[in-house]
Amino acid sequence: MLIFYIVVTLLFSVRSYGEICPQPLKIAVAESWPSSVLENLARYHQPFKEIGCTVEYQKVPLSRSLQMVSNGKLDGDTYRIAGLEKDYPNLIRVATPMARFGYYLYKKRKASLNIDQPKSLAGSKTCITFGNRLRRQISNELKLQVLEASNTSQCLKMLMTDRVDIFIGPRPEVEDSAFWNSKDDYTRAEKPYVSTNLYIYLNDRHREVAKQLEKILGKYFITDN
């Protein structure tokens, strides 16, 4: 009788997990992210797999991805700061963060700006990618002049051609070797301007998925400060 109970319980568990994800989840990936960020993101197939879900990453513009999730055209989005659910009616945030990254100030190595004293940078020019809320917040705090571009590659080209003075971002993204001829091209501040948790967002029809992910996502947490 005990063996029968255990088997039934296991079968019910598997069925329950399968029912929360009857189809693969389409998760947004910013088309501007370089290979190093995508490699980090690949590790998150596993927590979804643990709860009986499969994931298909789909490249979309960063500026549109959250709206697409809220509208139900996509199932989720990743590497986003907290609080965005307030702006989208059908968006929920998985409470357990997926990562914590430091956002550094970068400049050309020969530039005279002192990026270790952020308050001295008021009036300097920076580039932000469309839809990046955190970079916008930092730019406002530091009173920077802002130019916008579609992706990080375009922003860093602006930096190297002196169209902007500084760029803001996490090391795994900004220091991808695809963007630079050598590490001598740039220098970063000694400490991050801010360190922030980054989260997975889902359409609210996936509340059970979010609930299950919250229990296990801590095992996959990464940080790079």
Side-chain angles (χ1 to χ4, degrees):
M1 192 68 180
L2 178 59
I3 294 174
F4 174 78
Y5 175 78
I6 292 172
V7 170
V8 169
T9 301
L10 288 172
L11 287 173
F12 180 77
S13 235
V14 170
R15 185 184 173 192
S16 296
Y17 276 156
E19 286 177 349
I20 68 173
C21 292
Q23 302 293 331
L25 298 176
K26 295 181 180 179
I27 304 296
V29 172
E31 59 186 7
S32 61
W33 286 341
S35 58
S36 55
V37 177
L38 297 180
E39 288 169 5
N40 279 335
L41 193 59
R43 69 187 277 115
Y44 295 102
H45 280 282
Q46 188 59 34
F48 282 96
K49 186 177 179 180
E50 277 195 39
I51 64 171
C53 302
T54 58
V55 169
E56 295 176 356
Y57 289 128
Q58 184 170 328
K59 288 189 175 183
V60 296
L62 187 67
S63 58
R64 289 168 36 204
S65 59
L66 286 175
Q67 188 62 55
M68 292 174 73
V69 176
S70 183
N71 290 342
K73 294 179 180 178
L74 292 172
D75 297 298
D77 199 0
T78 54
Y79 284 146
R80 292 287 198 164
I81 62 173
L84 301 179
E85 66 272 26
K86 300 173 184 177
D87 300 329
Y88 298 90
N90 302 312
L91 209 65
I92 56 173
R93 175 170 56 89
V94 178
T96 305
M98 61 189 301
R100 183 173 181 82
F101 287 158
Y103 278 67
Y104 290 81
L105 299 172
Y106 287 82
K107 68 172 184 176
K108 284 177 67 173
R109 185 168 293 278
K110 295 181 181 179
S112 59
L113 295 170
N114 188 347
I115 53 177
D116 288 312
Q117 293 186 2
K119 292 183 179 180
S120 71
L121 300 173
S124 299
K125 293 180 180 178
T126 190
C127 175
I128 66 173
T129 48
F130 294 118
N132 193 298
R133 188 76 62 91
L134 182 57
R135 285 189 178 118
R136 174 71 69 178
Q137 290 175 359
I138 295 172
S139 298
N140 290 340
E141 288 174 10
L142 297 180
K143 300 179 180 178
L144 303 175
Q145 299 181 54
V146 171
L147 300 178
E148 291 184 289
S150 298
N151 53 56
T152 299
S153 178
Q154 291 180 7
C155 282
L156 294 178
K157 286 178 181 177
M158 289 184 187
L159 181 66
M160 297 311 297
T161 56
D162 298 315
R163 290 184 60 194
V164 298
D165 305 302
I166 59 174
F167 186 67
I168 305 157
R171 290 190 298 181
E173 178 184 12
V174 180
E175 297 183 23
D176 189 283
S177 59
F179 294 144
W180 309 99
N181 292 322
S182 76
K183 290 185 177 181
D184 292 334
D185 290 338
Y186 67 87
T187 186
R188 70 168 179 264
E190 182 178 349
K191 298 179 180 179
Y193 176 75
V194 64
S195 292
T196 187
N197 287 334
L198 300 172
Y199 296 87
I200 295 173
Y201 282 84
L202 298 171
N203 182 278
D204 61 5
R205 67 176 177 268
H206 297 304
R207 289 188 179 277
E208 185 61 28
V209 176
K211 182 179 178 181
Q212 297 300 330
L213 284 176
E214 287 169 9
K215 300 175 182 178
I216 64 172
L217 204 55
K219 294 189 295 181
Y220 301 90
F221 181 82
I222 60 173
T223 184
D224 189 332
N225 288 324

